[in-house]
């Protein structure tokens, strides 16, 4: 393997790592916003389950930093994004 191929491989790995961290951070941000909305009293009984879904998605996004197996990390990230998007969409639909 040439030095060029090794350099391209490292660049691809770092790009994937940066993308994964950005997506996980977005889920964590949505969880922080949902938590803030609950704390300030904006959570009605109709919105509370959607905020809870966002918070669980953020917890899963945070746990992607601890998971070492690449396949498990991908599944955890997909679950985090799914719950964050469902929670965000549900909160807007209920409103």
């Amino acid at each position: 393997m040439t030095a060029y191929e090794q350099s391209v491989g490292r660049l691809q790995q770092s790009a994937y790592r940066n993308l994964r961290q950005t997506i996980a951070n977005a889920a964590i941000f949505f969880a922080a916003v949902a938590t803030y909305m609950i704390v300030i009293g904006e959570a009605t009984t109709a919105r509370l389950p959607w905020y809870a879904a966002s918070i669980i998605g953020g917890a899963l996004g945070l746990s992607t930093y601890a998971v070492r197996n690449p396949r498990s990390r991908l599944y955890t990230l997909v679950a985090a994004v799914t719950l964050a998007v469902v929670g965000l969409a549900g909160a807007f639909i209920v409103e």
Side-chain angles (χ1 to χ4, degrees), residues 54-81:
S54 290
I55 292 170
I56 293 170
L60 286 173
L62 191 60
S63 70
T64 60
Y65 288 103
V67 176
R68 296 289 174 218
N69 184 0
R71 178 71 69 186
S72 298
R73 186 183 312 142
L74 178 65
Y75 291 150
T76 305
L77 187 61
V78 168
V81 169

Side-chain angles (χ1 to χ4, degrees), residues 17-81:
R17 184 181 64 244
N18 289 340
L19 178 65
R20 178 180 51 83
Q21 289 175 348
T22 302
I23 293 170
N25 288 339
I28 294 166
F29 175 75
F30 289 145
V33 170
T35 303
Y36 177 73
M37 297 299 273
I38 290 171
V39 168
I40 66 170
E42 284 292 315
T44 62
T45 56
R47 285 192 218 158
L48 191 59
W50 304 111
Y51 288 155
S54 290
I55 292 170
I56 293 170
L60 286 173
L62 191 60
S63 70
T64 60
Y65 288 103
V67 176
R68 296 289 174 218
N69 184 0
R71 178 71 69 186
S72 298
R73 186 183 312 142
L74 178 65
Y75 291 150
T76 305
L77 187 61
V78 168
V81 169

